[in-house]
Amino acid sequence: MKRGHQVTMKEIAKKLNVSVSTVSRALKDSPELHPETKLKVVEMAKSMNYQPNLLAQSLRISRSKVLGVIVPELTSHFFSSNISGIQDTAYKRGYNVMICQSNESYVQEISNIKVLVASQVDGLLISLSRETKNYQHLQDLYDRGIPFIMFDRVTEEIPVSRVTVDDANGAYQVTKHLLEQGCKKVAFISGPQDLYISKKRKEGFLKALEEFGISETESRVYISDLKEDTNRRIAKQILEEEDRADAIFAMIDPLAIDVMLVLKEHGVRIPEDIALAGFTNNPTSSVVEPSLTTVVQPGYEMGKIAANHLLDQLDEIVSDDPQSFILDTTLIARNSTIKRK
């Protein structure tokens, strides 16, 4: 169910080349404005068929001034960076934040949403759990008109705004780097296939292989639930294969660290025997031996953008039409993939 576009005060302001606050005051018949200015704003609003968002007006009167945040895990460096960006932005705009973690559980994610909605938060910022494959709970939120946007772990099935990094290009850069080091047989260990980031990172991995003349049918893709025992089992499986990979690209750094430990346990030299790279630039990635090649994601910036956009929607500065914000990533080449000679 897609909501029709609603003209916002920001669009009226742009047409008249005035500020959003001027439009807001004119529509409230503020005595502070010149009558001619008020008349221009009102006439423009009528011509653009501006309809005040009555739900938003009601919320403004009785706002809790609290945003709800749901992340898969609080211990993750990346998600803690997201939360910092959200909290700093919310605080500057007069809001507090309630934080829940789903513990990568679909059931817990639904419970978190119910708790936050019952607490009357003004809007939600949601990063999906790795178990989430059914999105009816999000559709229900949308249908009820409860403002929310998604970040990092998202779905394209619900027409709300999303803030992500360029996962495909980040994975492309990692894979290209490994191939440029002379690696011929690059394995990719992905997360659950339904995850948006899994799909995008696989997309970038395959694009780099194609550029180097390696077809998708020749690609080496392994699927993990991202739990330590599964990660270790896949690493051992790769080592036992007759035509063994000479490089491994792990979808996230914690997965890469699990793989690194298995390689070391089996006497495999990194990168001489097998090069290894991750994605997310966790704090441990620079201090493990060898230091891990990875991709930097702007987690703090992602949180800031997500919070600002949600608050702009609540204030009707922007429309609630879905927007997609895609942030750039940066490859950091370290000792785990040093150039071979």
Side-chain angles (χ1 to χ4, degrees):
M1 174 171 125
K2 191 176 190 322
R3 291 172 284 194
H5 174 73
Q6 290 185 323
V7 174
T8 67
M9 287 190 284
K10 184 178 182 181
E11 291 167 321
I12 297 171
K14 186 176 180 181
K15 283 276 190 182
L16 294 171
N17 196 28
V18 297
S19 69
V20 174
S21 62
T22 296
V23 172
S24 177
R25 283 182 288 164
L27 294 176
K28 292 175 183 175
D29 196 22
S30 169
E32 299 174 9
L33 291 182
H34 192 282
E36 186 179 338
T37 302
K38 285 194 280 188
L39 181 61
K40 284 182 180 179
V41 171
V42 170
E43 288 181 347
M44 180 61 73
K46 286 181 180 177
S47 70
M48 296 177 70
N49 196 28
Y50 170 73
Q51 299 293 327
N53 187 328
L54 297 179
L55 174 62
Q57 288 180 348
S58 169
L59 285 172
R60 265 201 299 277
I61 296 169
S62 59
R63 278 190 185 176
S64 65
K65 304 296 281 186
V66 176
L67 301 181
V69 180
I70 301 173
V71 293
E73 55 177 324
L74 291 170
T75 56
S76 160
H77 174 259
F78 177 67
F79 288 120
S80 65
S81 297
N82 293 153
I83 290 168
S84 292
I86 291 168
Q87 284 186 310
D88 287 353
T89 302
Y91 179 75
K92 287 176 183 175
R93 295 184 62 168
Y95 276 74
N96 290 310
V97 174
M98 286 181 66
I99 301 165
C100 295
Q101 68 170 346
S102 65
N103 279 318
E104 298 287 11
S105 163
Y106 168 67
V107 173
Q108 187 65 46
E109 181 175 290
I110 293 175
S111 176
N112 288 343
I113 288 174
K114 288 179 179 177
V115 167
L116 291 171
V117 171
S119 300
Q120 297 186 312
V121 297
D122 292 339
L124 297 112
L125 300 123
I126 303 171
S127 187
L128 302 177
S129 84
R130 63 183 171 217
E131 286 185 358
T132 303
K133 300 175 185 177
N134 182 309
Y135 308 111
Q136 187 58 49
H137 58 307
L138 301 177
Q139 186 66 50
D140 291 343
L141 270 185
Y142 178 82
D143 292 344
R144 291 167 63 189
I146 296 173
F148 75 99
I149 66 175
M150 290 182 280
F151 64 97
D152 188 54
R153 306 260 197 94
V154 305
T155 176
E156 295 176 298
E157 293 188 21
I158 310 297
V160 297
S161 293
R162 304 182 301 273
V163 186
T164 60
V165 299
D166 195 342
D167 289 291
N169 187 57
Y172 166 79
Q173 295 296 338
V174 173
T175 310
K176 180 183 177 186
H177 167 73
L178 290 167
L179 293 166
E180 288 175 341
Q181 304 316 300
C183 302
K184 306 291 184 185
K185 297 171 285 187
V186 182
F188 174 51
I189 307 180
S190 174
Q193 297 182 75
D194 292 306
L195 277 182
Y196 176 87
I197 61 173
S198 296
K199 295 174 184 176
K200 288 297 181 181
R201 291 177 194 179
K202 180 182 176 183
E203 179 185 307
F205 168 72
L206 294 176
K207 178 184 175 184
L209 293 188
E210 183 182 1
E211 286 189 4
F212 279 75
I214 303 169
S215 68
E216 183 170 353
T217 55
E218 300 173 283
S219 66
R220 301 159 184 254
V221 178
Y222 304 81
I223 308 300
S224 174
D225 57 11
L226 304 179
K227 296 177 181 176
E228 182 181 355
D229 57 345
T230 310
N231 298 340
R232 290 179 61 84
R233 177 180 55 76
I234 292 173
K236 290 174 183 176
Q237 178 186 338
I238 292 172
L239 288 179
E240 291 167 0
E241 290 174 350
E242 187 174 339
D243 186 27
R244 192 170 81 178
D246 59 5
I248 299 173
F249 169 29
M251 193 183 83
I252 57 175
D253 283 359
L255 167 53
I257 300 300
D258 288 342
V259 171
M260 179 181 286
L261 292 174
V262 171
L263 297 185
K264 288 184 174 183
E265 288 167 10
H266 287 76
V268 176
R269 298 172 302 161
I270 308 169
E272 292 83 2
D273 300 327
I274 297 180
L276 179 64
F279 200 118
T280 52
N281 194 37
N282 281 21
T284 53
S285 303
S286 62
V287 297
V288 293
E289 179 55 42
S291 54
L292 183 68
T293 291
T294 187
V295 173
V296 176
Q297 301 180 99
Y300 182 85
E301 188 67 20
M302 177 181 285
K304 280 181 59 179
I305 290 172
N308 265 322
H309 187 65
L310 178 58
L311 291 170
D312 284 348
Q313 285 185 336
L314 291 172
D315 290 337
E316 290 190 88
I317 294 172
V318 299
S319 164
D320 61 1
D321 290 344
Q323 294 187 44
S324 179
F325 301 88
I326 302 175
L327 310 183
D328 291 334
T329 60
T330 305
L331 174 70
I332 297 183
R334 296 193 178 117
N335 293 335
S336 66
T337 59
I338 52 174
K339 189 170 179 64
R340 299 168 177 210
K341 298 188 178 180

